[in-house]
Amino acid sequence: MKTIRYSNPADNRVELGILHGDDVFSVTHQVPSWTDPVPMWHALRALGITAAEAEAQLSTGPCLSFADLERQGRLLPPVVSPEVWASGVTYERSREARNAETQIKDSVYDRVYVAERPELFFKATYDRVVAPGHPVALRSDSQWMVPEPELCIVISAAGDLIGWTVGNDLSSRDIEGENPLYLPQAKVFARSCSFGPVLLWNTGEQRPEEWDIELTIARDGVIAFQGSVSFSQFRRSFATLIEYLRRDNPIQDGTVLMTGTGIVPPDEFTLANGDVVEIFIDAVGMLRNPVEAQVMSRSVEV
Amino acid sequence: MKTIRYSNPADNRVELGILHGDDVFSVTHQVPSWTDPVPMWHALRALGITAAEAEAQLSTGPCLSFADLERQGRLLPPVVSPEVWASGVTYERSREARNAETQIKDSVYDRVYVAERPELFFKATYDRVVAPGHPVALRSDSQWMVPEPELCIVISAAGDLIGWTVGNDLSSRDIEGENPLYLPQAKVFARSCSFGPVLLWNTGEQRPEEWDIELTIARDGVIAFQGSVSFSQFRRSFATLIEYLRRDNPIQDGTVLMTGTGIVPPDEFTLANGDVVEIFIDAVGMLRNPVEAQVMSRSVEV
Amino acid sequence: MKTIRYSNPADNRVELGILHGDDVFSVTHQVPSWTDPVPMWHALRALGITAAEAEAQLSTGPCLSFADLERQGRLLPPVVSPEVWASGVTYERSREARNAETQIKDSVYDRVYVAERPELFFKATYDRVVAPGHPVALRSDSQWMVPEPELCIVISAAGDLIGWTVGNDLSSRDIEGENPLYLPQAKVFARSCSFGPVLLWNTGEQRPEEWDIELTIARDGVIAFQGSVSFSQFRRSFATLIEYLRRDNPIQDGTVLMTGTGIVPPDEFTLANGDVVEIFIDAVGMLRNPVEAQVMSRSVEV
Amino acid sequence: MKTIRYSNPADNRVELGILHGDDVFSVTHQVPSWTDPVPMWHALRALGITAAEAEAQLSTGPCLSFADLERQGRLLPPVVSPEVWASGVTYERSREARNAETQIKDSVYDRVYVAERPELFFKATYDRVVAPGHPVALRSDSQWMVPEPELCIVISAAGDLIGWTVGNDLSSRDIEGENPLYLPQAKVFARSCSFGPVLLWNTGEQRPEEWDIELTIARDGVIAFQGSVSFSQFRRSFATLIEYLRRDNPIQDGTVLMTGTGIVPPDEFTLANGDVVEIFIDAVGMLRNPVEAQVMSRSVEV
């Protein structure tokens, strides 16, 4: 089952919908308190109902068009994640890329790559997250910015893997490259994070190891960069990442964990105002965001 | 003016109070919507009323005893900070301590020390914060933990310095020492952060550069470690920290920024279950927290 | 299926539970967002699951004792009803009683009895409702007060009959008797309304017309009044009451409608401080409330 | 001081503003938590600041035009009143009008007129209130509907008279006339209540007894009814109404009490779809609402 969240064109209310091809069936019209997948996920599990059964039951009534919602900018993050966390150095190519950024031999990236403990960091709160289709923003003090296309997992407070979505962990390579202690500044800023639009529910039957992640960056109508990676190159397990994230650290239902990137554009590439970033995982969906320069002035009050 | 937040013994409601010696005058009884200092701070500023005038006006009626509230465990963080951020390598001694933790020459701490950009990191959300008097908790997978006694500043969304409080940025030295990329895991965990109980309002007349911060760790009734530092050794300015924190990164009213530590116990010292940590800044107040081992099991659901 | 709401002795959190004999199975432990029956009712209906199926599925795990919860005063109203409405003159005996209160021939009660339009009035908001087991309160300016034992229906925003509970519409007979225009003052005051503790879910199989409502008022350990009425004497239909209540008047999910009383103590009877009122409907359950004098002073601020 | 509430054209956020002639100064821009007058009223009182002082201090910065806000339909009720209560038979003419509606000699209206206890009834919750400028709605099952133009008082939980506004207690005369027990149905329905747009703050200097209330009903561009009454004909006192309203009945801060009408159109007059109702009190302001037929279908779900 795939679900999305969107603002209904009729009344601007937030709804949860089931996605079938281009058809979107409103779950919220049938169960008003379900505007987010997590309460529904808990209910199905407790009631012993499979995602397929729920999907069959709830895919009724009038439906909206996904393409229309996308065109109208009405798609929302597929889950209200109170916090987004992220992981790094989880693919082999990622290590090489990061070593190039820093001057340190036997670098911190080399060491995390071989260590049992993964790299985990706080990426965003929900209000820093950009809805699918809306612009992510370049840090005003960085000259070297890249999207990080990532498979995201949605987790319950108890550590269950609820499902998958597509994420963009927009990052500043020069700020992080200057010093690993600047990682929070390279990662956390206004509109630095987007994920969605589709949540693919985990039924135990999916095979993420067979998925590919594709990144396409368009500039002035042509492809400025394209790359892909097989998720079979992922060097951690979801279970390990979840275990370390939750170790002595309570998380809330619906927390999103971005699992790291395996696609790194060449060193001379940096995002520019007006670019469009598309991240595609066949089994899940496409996340598309235009890129803008930050409009926050440093001196102007929020 | 000094304010605190506490749960009223009569009805367990959260209140904002003005602190005069041991007397606590309830602001909330007079203005029901003021259970947090930030709305009051905005109102006083807009109305052109000084903290001293407000204090004189509102210090009326029956009062509670601060010592009683403390003894009953009723003190709360002095501001509902949606996020707590922290800074590092802001005192000279801090750099030396960190270099000892890591094996890297020309270390990341050396480099941040001399750089224009400070180290800033996400420390906690409000629900990870421990109230004054309540126990902070040791990470279950760390063998080397220390309190970091810090002067905290409370900031408005627009970057105003609302006031100061006392903070404890409990940290794992071995996890951070293993790899700077593990800093979030060394810093962010359940009950790793406490601040308060007093908020000293910024009137422009305070001279933080003349303040001393004192750390005392008691174990089995005797002092296990004691140290102090003059805030004159602070090598950043509040304005610079706030500017970098807010650069392209919207924060909310009442955000707390811990400004880094200048007191580091000797390398052989680690906190133990049952210790009591006291952090004292004469002009502000005393923050006291006992220390406990984490009670979260890794395998048990939250 | 019968559900209750209660505050869990372990952590004081509000929970929804399924009641089997004395066993209470926490629904909230299994579906954290279900602390009220209405979201669960919507979900079951949309998923095509019967109450019996849900009950079988969710009646697992450790359970609490209803008798213990009752003894500890932890029972809550079985639904968070944003509004409680009530109806009058719905049983034949009720009309006679009301005529006795007033001096008017061809009284307003006679006329409503024979009219198509029922009497409906606003009874309480949720914060005026007393939890089962807790004291209802006598109006300080009334000398003639009675409980009105009533079958209550719980309604969805769309007018569905979700289920039944037991209610006490505490009323002042002298204030209403003085003038029908004083009805709101005779009916709406602090702690004038209680319902619960059990919600019996409507499955279409219940036969309310076969139910009896019994009222027992105990004073100083002996029965001061006892009466009963068969619901077969009810002269309106639920559908008609709901239709008039919702006519041009949007109500919210979980609205409670008290359906009027058919038991009226003799004219010389008035409730007294210390009385205990028990209302019993065999198929639903027992509502018990002690009676207190109001403690609100008229001149003291709330 | 006069305040209004409105939705800001720039971002659709709700704001509290001070009204000077046509100028609206945003209070909310200066004190973000003040989107309603009640928290501001509490603060001023506790700080010992007069309304005039606050007005002088806060009437700064850019301002909006009241006429523009009105034209754009952006005015809101001037206070978020959790409940609106109303009073009846408070003017001499009102009694006569009501007697005409009913067939009862020595009617209930006659009796309440001479009694110590006033008539008080629940009129609306905030979500049943229509914003100024927006249409009130005729009950679909009434053939005789009238506006009731009323001076409204805004009350604190403790019974303080915070200020005055203008109100329209839209009522069905035939439903109430059929039976006083139908009063709730004659009074409470969707969009049956409007008040505002101006809140005149009570400073103790106003003389309501010198005010006139004027009602004008326009139909097809001509005046269909016009009438006025002097508030000197009001036969109750605010203090008495507040005392009875709060007697054993806790109310919340910002409760609105409509004080009854003294203007009754002739018996042959009923409101019609498309009428425009204007109620004017010179010292306070003008409330204008068009009139519509209800669009709620009885059988369609809300």
Side-chain angles (χ1 to χ4, degrees):
Chain A
M1 179 167 58
K2 292 177 177 178
T3 57
I4 64 169
R5 288 172 66 252
Y6 56 94
S7 115
N8 190 303
D11 55 11
N12 292 319
R13 293 202 192 169
V14 173
E15 296 188 354
L16 175 69
I18 292 176
L19 182 68
H20 269 298
D22 186 59
D23 290 345
V24 178
F25 297 93
S26 172
V27 171
T28 309
H29 280 202
Q30 301 172 73
V31 187
S33 63
W34 287 352
T35 58
D36 187 88
V38 175
M40 179 176 167
W41 177 84
H42 275 294
L44 296 190
R45 191 169 65 158
L47 293 168
I49 297 176
T50 66
E53 288 166 346
E55 185 180 17
Q57 185 70 29
L58 298 173
S59 298
T60 62
C63 63
L64 297 168
S65 154
F66 179 82
D68 286 351
L69 293 173
E70 187 175 36
R71 191 166 45 242
Q72 296 165 24
R74 291 189 166 278
L75 297 175
L76 296 171
V79 59
V80 181
S81 53
E83 293 176 0
V84 180
W85 289 76
S87 184
V89 201
T90 52
Y91 291 80
E92 189 155 357
R93 291 195 52 198
S94 175
R95 176 176 59 121
E96 292 164 8
R98 283 245 172 48
N99 281 343
E101 287 160 26
T102 164
Q103 305 310 317
I104 302 171
K105 278 286 168 205
D106 183 26
S107 82
V108 295
Y109 303 101
D110 286 317
R111 285 189 281 140
V112 81
Y113 186 75
V114 297
E116 183 191 340
R117 184 187 294 272
E119 177 196 6
L120 290 168
F121 56 90
F122 172 82
K123 173 64 189 179
T125 48
Y126 187 72
D127 60 352
R128 289 180 174 96
V129 171
V130 172
H134 289 258
V136 293
L138 302 174
R139 257 197 94 102
S140 58
D141 56 358
S142 171
Q143 269 65 53
W144 190 11
M145 299 208 66
V146 289
E148 298 200 353
E150 312 197 5
L151 180 62
C152 298
I153 55 179
V154 178
I155 313 169
S156 78
D160 304 285
L161 200 169
I162 293 174
W164 295 273
T165 189
V166 181
N168 183 352
D169 167 21
L170 189 66
S171 302
S172 162
R173 290 187 70 180
D174 50 357
I175 294 177
E176 179 177 353
E178 184 179 343
N179 195 323
L181 294 175
Y182 294 154
L183 186 117
Q185 296 176 74
K187 293 292 192 179
V188 184
F189 49 93
R191 300 195 283 158
S192 67
C193 179
S194 188
F195 58 84
V198 174
L199 175 70
L200 175 67
W201 288 48
N202 175 19
T203 64
E205 295 153 5
Q206 289 86 0
R207 313 271 320 248
E209 63 276 15
E210 299 178 356
W211 298 346
D212 291 327
I213 303 179
E214 297 173 29
L215 168 66
T216 304
I217 304 172
R219 181 172 299 168
D220 301 328
V222 299
I223 293 176
F225 173 78
Q226 194 158 38
S228 73
V229 68
S230 165
F231 198 69
S232 63
Q233 292 186 252
F234 186 69
R235 295 286 174 235
R236 299 279 177 179
S237 74
F238 297 138
T240 302
L241 293 182
I242 293 170
E243 194 277 321
Y244 274 95
L245 175 60
R246 293 180 64 249
R247 188 179 284 189
D248 292 355
N249 182 37
I251 58 168
Q252 294 178 57
D253 271 330
T255 295
V256 165
L257 176 59
M258 308 186 114
T259 62
T261 189
I263 305 173
V264 182
D267 288 0
E268 61 275 15
F269 182 87
T270 184
L271 284 172
N273 190 9
D275 287 356
V276 176
V277 177
E278 292 185 348
I279 304 172
F280 181 66
I281 301 175
D282 188 36
V284 185
M286 161 82 82
L287 172 66
R288 181 186 293 111
N289 300 94
V291 175
E292 281 186 3
Q294 289 282 1
V295 290
M296 287 182 71
S297 164
R298 296 180 195 179
S299 54
V300 168
E301 302 193 359
V302 180
Chain B
M1 179 167 59
K2 293 177 177 177
T3 57
I4 64 169
R5 288 172 67 252
Y6 56 94
S7 116
N8 190 304
D11 55 12
N12 292 320
R13 294 204 191 167
V14 173
E15 297 188 355
L16 174 69
I18 293 175
L19 182 68
H20 270 298
D22 187 58
D23 290 344
V24 177
F25 297 93
S26 172
V27 171
T28 309
H29 279 202
Q30 301 173 73
V31 186
S33 63
W34 287 354
T35 58
D36 187 88
V38 175
M40 179 176 166
W41 177 84
H42 275 294
L44 295 190
R45 191 170 66 159
L47 293 169
I49 298 176
T50 67
E53 288 166 346
E55 185 179 18
Q57 185 71 27
L58 298 173
S59 298
T60 61
C63 63
L64 297 168
S65 154
F66 179 83
D68 287 351
L69 292 172
E70 187 175 36
R71 189 166 47 242
Q72 296 165 25
R74 292 189 165 277
L75 298 175
L76 296 172
V79 59
V80 180
S81 53
E83 294 176 358
V84 180
W85 289 76
S87 184
V89 201
T90 51
Y91 291 80
E92 190 155 357
R93 292 198 51 200
S94 174
R95 176 174 60 120
E96 292 165 7
R98 283 243 171 51
N99 281 343
E101 287 160 26
T102 165
Q103 305 309 317
I104 301 171
K105 279 283 167 207
D106 183 23
S107 83
V108 296
Y109 303 101
D110 286 318
R111 285 190 283 139
V112 81
Y113 187 76
V114 298
E116 182 190 342
R117 184 187 294 272
E119 178 196 5
L120 291 168
F121 57 90
F122 172 82
K123 173 65 189 178
T125 49
Y126 187 73
D127 60 353
R128 290 180 173 94
V129 172
V130 172
H134 290 258
V136 293
L138 302 174
R139 257 197 94 101
S140 59
D141 57 357
S142 172
Q143 270 65 54
W144 190 12
M145 299 209 64
V146 288
E148 298 199 352
E150 311 196 4
L151 179 62
C152 298
I153 56 179
V154 178
I155 312 170
S156 77
D160 303 285
L161 199 169
I162 294 174
W164 294 273
T165 187
V166 181
N168 183 352
D169 168 21
L170 189 67
S171 303
S172 162
R173 289 188 69 180
D174 50 358
I175 293 177
E176 179 177 352
E178 184 180 343
N179 195 322
L181 294 176
Y182 294 155
L183 186 116
Q185 296 176 74
K187 293 291 191 180
V188 184
F189 48 93
R191 300 196 283 159
S192 66
C193 179
S194 188
F195 58 83
V198 174
L199 175 70
L200 175 66
W201 288 48
N202 175 19
T203 62
E205 295 153 6
Q206 289 85 1
R207 312 272 318 249
E209 64 275 15
E210 298 178 356
W211 297 346
D212 291 328
I213 302 179
E214 297 173 31
L215 168 65
T216 305
I217 304 171
R219 182 171 297 168
D220 301 328
V222 298
I223 293 176
F225 173 79
Q226 194 159 36
S228 73
V229 67
S230 165
F231 198 70
S232 62
Q233 291 185 253
F234 186 70
R235 293 287 173 236
R236 299 277 176 179
S237 74
F238 297 137
T240 300
L241 294 181
I242 293 171
E243 193 277 320
Y244 274 94
L245 175 61
R246 293 180 65 248
R247 188 179 284 189
D248 292 353
N249 183 37
I251 59 168
Q252 294 178 57
D253 272 329
T255 295
V256 165
L257 176 59
M258 307 187 115
T259 61
T261 188
I263 305 173
V264 183
D267 287 359
E268 62 275 13
F269 182 87
T270 183
L271 284 172
N273 190 8
D275 287 356
V276 176
V277 177
E278 292 184 347
I279 305 171
F280 181 66
I281 301 175
D282 189 36
V284 185
M286 161 82 82
L287 172 66
R288 180 186 293 111
N289 300 94
V291 175
E292 280 187 2
Q294 289 281 1
V295 290
M296 287 182 70
S297 164
R298 294 179 197 181
S299 54
V300 168
E301 302 193 356
V302 181
Chain C
M1 180 166 60
K2 293 177 177 177
T3 57
I4 63 167
R5 289 172 66 251
Y6 56 93
S7 114
N8 190 303
D11 55 13
N12 291 321
R13 292 203 192 169
V14 173
E15 297 189 354
L16 176 69
I18 292 175
L19 182 68
H20 270 298
D22 187 59
D23 291 343
V24 177
F25 296 93
S26 173
V27 171
T28 309
H29 279 203
Q30 301 173 72
V31 186
S33 62
W34 286 352
T35 57
D36 187 88
V38 175
M40 180 175 165
W41 177 85
H42 275 293
L44 296 190
R45 190 170 65 158
L47 293 168
I49 298 176
T50 66
E53 288 166 346
E55 184 179 18
Q57 185 71 27
L58 297 173
S59 298
T60 62
C63 63
L64 297 168
S65 154
F66 179 82
D68 286 351
L69 292 172
E70 188 175 35
R71 190 166 46 243
Q72 297 165 25
R74 291 189 166 277
L75 298 175
L76 297 171
V79 59
V80 181
S81 53
E83 294 176 358
V84 180
W85 288 77
S87 185
V89 200
T90 52
Y91 291 80
E92 189 156 357
R93 292 197 52 199
S94 175
R95 177 175 59 119
E96 293 164 8
R98 283 242 172 50
N99 281 342
E101 287 159 27
T102 164
Q103 305 310 318
I104 302 172
K105 277 284 171 207
D106 181 26
S107 82
V108 296
Y109 304 101
D110 287 316
R111 286 190 281 140
V112 81
Y113 186 76
V114 298
E116 183 191 339
R117 185 186 293 272
E119 178 196 6
L120 290 168
F121 56 89
F122 172 82
K123 174 64 189 179
T125 49
Y126 188 73
D127 60 352
R128 288 180 174 95
V129 172
V130 172
H134 289 258
V136 293
L138 301 174
R139 257 196 93 104
S140 59
D141 56 357
S142 171
Q143 267 66 53
W144 189 13
M145 298 208 65
V146 288
E148 298 199 352
E150 312 197 4
L151 179 62
C152 298
I153 56 178
V154 178
I155 313 170
S156 77
D160 304 284
L161 199 170
I162 293 174
W164 295 273
T165 188
V166 182
N168 183 352
D169 167 22
L170 189 66
S171 303
S172 162
R173 289 187 71 180
D174 50 358
I175 294 177
E176 181 178 352
E178 183 179 343
N179 195 322
L181 295 175
Y182 293 155
L183 186 117
Q185 297 175 73
K187 292 292 190 178
V188 184
F189 48 93
R191 301 195 281 158
S192 66
C193 179
S194 187
F195 58 83
V198 174
L199 175 71
L200 174 67
W201 288 48
N202 175 19
T203 63
E205 295 153 6
Q206 289 85 0
R207 312 275 315 252
E209 63 275 17
E210 300 178 356
W211 298 346
D212 289 329
I213 303 179
E214 298 173 29
L215 168 66
T216 305
I217 303 171
R219 181 171 299 168
D220 301 328
V222 299
I223 293 176
F225 174 78
Q226 194 159 37
S228 73
V229 68
S230 165
F231 198 70
S232 62
Q233 294 186 250
F234 186 69
R235 294 285 175 236
R236 299 279 177 178
S237 74
F238 297 138
T240 301
L241 293 181
I242 294 172
E243 195 275 323
Y244 274 95
L245 175 60
R246 292 180 65 248
R247 188 179 283 190
D248 293 354
N249 183 36
I251 59 168
Q252 294 178 58
D253 272 330
T255 295
V256 165
L257 176 59
M258 307 186 116
T259 62
T261 189
I263 305 174
V264 182
D267 288 359
E268 61 275 15
F269 182 87
T270 183
L271 284 172
N273 190 9
D275 287 356
V276 175
V277 177
E278 292 184 347
I279 305 171
F280 181 65
I281 302 175
D282 188 37
V284 186
M286 161 82 83
L287 172 66
R288 182 186 293 111
N289 301 94
V291 174
E292 280 186 3
Q294 289 283 1
V295 291
M296 287 182 71
S297 165
R298 296 181 196 179
S299 55
V300 167
E301 302 194 358
V302 179
Chain D
M1 180 167 59
K2 292 177 177 177
T3 57
I4 63 169
R5 287 173 67 252
Y6 57 94
S7 115
N8 190 303
D11 55 12
N12 292 320
R13 293 204 191 167
V14 173
E15 297 188 355
L16 175 68
I18 293 175
L19 182 68
H20 269 299
D22 187 59
D23 290 343
V24 177
F25 296 94
S26 172
V27 171
T28 309
H29 279 203
Q30 301 172 72
V31 186
S33 63
W34 286 353
T35 57
D36 187 88
V38 175
M40 179 175 166
W41 177 84
H42 275 294
L44 296 191
R45 191 170 65 159
L47 292 168
I49 298 177
T50 67
E53 287 166 347
E55 184 178 18
Q57 185 70 27
L58 297 173
S59 298
T60 62
C63 62
L64 297 168
S65 154
F66 179 82
D68 286 351
L69 293 172
E70 187 175 36
R71 190 165 45 241
Q72 297 165 25
R74 292 188 165 278
L75 298 176
L76 296 172
V79 60
V80 181
S81 53
E83 293 175 359
V84 180
W85 288 76
S87 185
V89 200
T90 52
Y91 291 80
E92 189 155 356
R93 291 198 51 199
S94 176
R95 176 174 60 120
E96 293 164 8
R98 282 243 172 49
N99 281 343
E101 286 159 28
T102 164
Q103 305 310 318
I104 302 171
K105 278 284 167 207
D106 183 25
S107 82
V108 296
Y109 304 102
D110 286 318
R111 286 189 282 138
V112 80
Y113 187 76
V114 297
E116 182 190 342
R117 184 186 295 271
E119 177 196 5
L120 290 168
F121 57 90
F122 171 82
K123 173 65 188 178
T125 49
Y126 187 73
D127 60 352
R128 289 180 173 94
V129 172
V130 172
H134 290 258
V136 292
L138 302 175
R139 257 196 94 102
S140 59
D141 56 358
S142 171
Q143 269 65 54
W144 189 12
M145 300 209 63
V146 289
E148 299 199 351
E150 311 197 4
L151 178 63
C152 298
I153 57 179
V154 178
I155 313 169
S156 77
D160 304 285
L161 199 168
I162 294 174
W164 295 272
T165 187
V166 181
N168 183 352
D169 167 21
L170 190 67
S171 303
S172 162
R173 290 187 71 179
D174 50 358
I175 294 177
E176 180 177 352
E178 183 179 345
N179 195 323
L181 294 175
Y182 293 155
L183 186 117
Q185 296 175 74
K187 294 290 192 179
V188 184
F189 48 93
R191 301 195 283 158
S192 66
C193 178
S194 188
F195 57 83
V198 174
L199 175 70
L200 174 67
W201 289 49
N202 175 19
T203 63
E205 295 153 5
Q206 289 85 0
R207 313 273 315 251
E209 64 275 16
E210 300 178 357
W211 298 345
D212 291 328
I213 303 179
E214 297 173 30
L215 167 67
T216 305
I217 304 172
R219 181 171 299 169
D220 301 328
V222 299
I223 293 176
F225 173 78
Q226 195 159 35
S228 73
V229 68
S230 165
F231 198 70
S232 62
Q233 294 186 252
F234 185 70
R235 293 287 173 235
R236 299 279 177 179
S237 74
F238 297 138
T240 301
L241 293 182
I242 294 172
E243 194 276 323
Y244 273 94
L245 175 61
R246 293 180 64 249
R247 188 180 282 190
D248 292 353
N249 183 36
I251 58 167
Q252 294 179 56
D253 271 330
T255 294
V256 165
L257 176 58
M258 307 186 115
T259 61
T261 189
I263 306 174
V264 182
D267 288 359
E268 62 275 15
F269 181 87
T270 183
L271 284 172
N273 190 9
D275 286 356
V276 175
V277 177
E278 292 185 347
I279 305 171
F280 180 67
I281 301 175
D282 188 37
V284 185
M286 161 82 82
L287 172 66
R288 181 186 292 111
N289 300 95
V291 174
E292 279 186 5
Q294 289 282 0
V295 291
M296 286 182 71
S297 164
R298 296 179 195 180
S299 55
V300 168
E301 302 193 356
V302 180

